[in-house]
Amino acid sequence: MAMRQTPLTCSGHTRPVVDLAFSGITPYGYFLISACKDGKPMLRQGDTGDWIGTFLGHKGAVWGATLNKEATKAATAAADFTAKVWDAVTGDEVLTLAHKHIVKSVNFTEDSNCLLTGGNDKVLRIYDLGKPEAEPQEIAGHTSAIKKALWCNNDQQILSAAEDKTIRLWDKNTKEAVKTLSFDASVSSMEYIPDGEILVITYGRTIAFYSAHSLDLIKAVDAPASIHSASLHPEKDFFVAGGDDFKLYKYDYTTKEEMESYKGHFGPIHCVRFSPDGELYASGSEDGTLRLWQTAVGKTYGLWKCVLPEELSSENSEALYCPPAEIKA
């Protein structure tokens, strides 16, 4: 039975989409936030892509965006030298955290009480959101701009990736680097999987998986093109990746074999992430759109509907697949 992957296109942004993140699963479903160079991060319903709202307040490109697990708080990192914390329910700005340079990355602790930031001034900062007037804790050591910074290992350690071609694992309390990984190219993305403590990183054409505890290499795969982002399925059966050639690649995690590839974007793919239930993955591109892709093509889920014609025998029938309409902000 032939099935064609039909992505759901979410328009509304006017510049390249450079980062995206899902919330956890809440009583109201799960949610998706996108960071864009148009300076207007957007919140959407995660399973349908329906636009919920736009966070207005930044005066420059937004490079990073995240939601806490409960989808009650959002945080954004921007070129206006600030990180902002938002009420994700009302859309109100809660805090503006001034920095000395462009901010690229924001990440909440599990309890949502602290925010980790990183950016072009090479310094990691930890803000206690309960004491916004207090000075942040600072961790220095990178020699170039920080691209991504994430809490890991029950928020006791921090992982950071920078333009200095390193990933560093830091102890939150001592503020010392525990381990450093060096690469022959700048790391383009980093994803942390708490379940199993796996670190997914991309650099050049390589997608690599490391232990987040020891930073020992688990496995690596080389893709046909330069890769900007990769994401591991929650069940760890497979992973997806996207980059310069506008394609999304899906690989078997165990065998490392390419399962399929899809083209839908009209520009390089900057970010890709699986939803918390693993039913879809979202991609953001230079073309200014987000696209949602089904993990199991043809399954009825969200706005996707699969209709089998009863009058045709199952042996020679092709599924009548009703693609969803384009979602506009």
Side-chain angles (χ1 to χ4, degrees), residues 255-276:
T255 66
K256 305 195 292 188
E257 293 295 317
E258 182 185 322
M259 298 167 70
E260 50 210 353
S261 64
Y262 302 112
K263 200 166 183 179
H265 282 292
F266 297 99
I269 295 163
H270 293 306
C271 45
V272 59
R273 284 292 178 269
F274 272 107
S275 61

Side-chain angles (χ1 to χ4, degrees), residues 280-300:
L280 62 82
Y281 45 99
S283 57
S285 166
E286 185 75 16
D287 67 14
T289 68
L290 289 155
R291 289 173 199 256
L292 305 184
W293 309 76
Q294 274 192 293
T295 301
V297 178
K299 185 175 181 178
T300 295

Side-chain angles (χ1 to χ4, degrees), residues 150-164:
L150 301 171
W151 293 103
C152 67
N153 305 333
N154 298 315
D155 297 337
Q156 293 307 300
Q157 293 181 310
I158 292 166
L159 285 158
S160 58
E163 297 276 7
D164 58 15

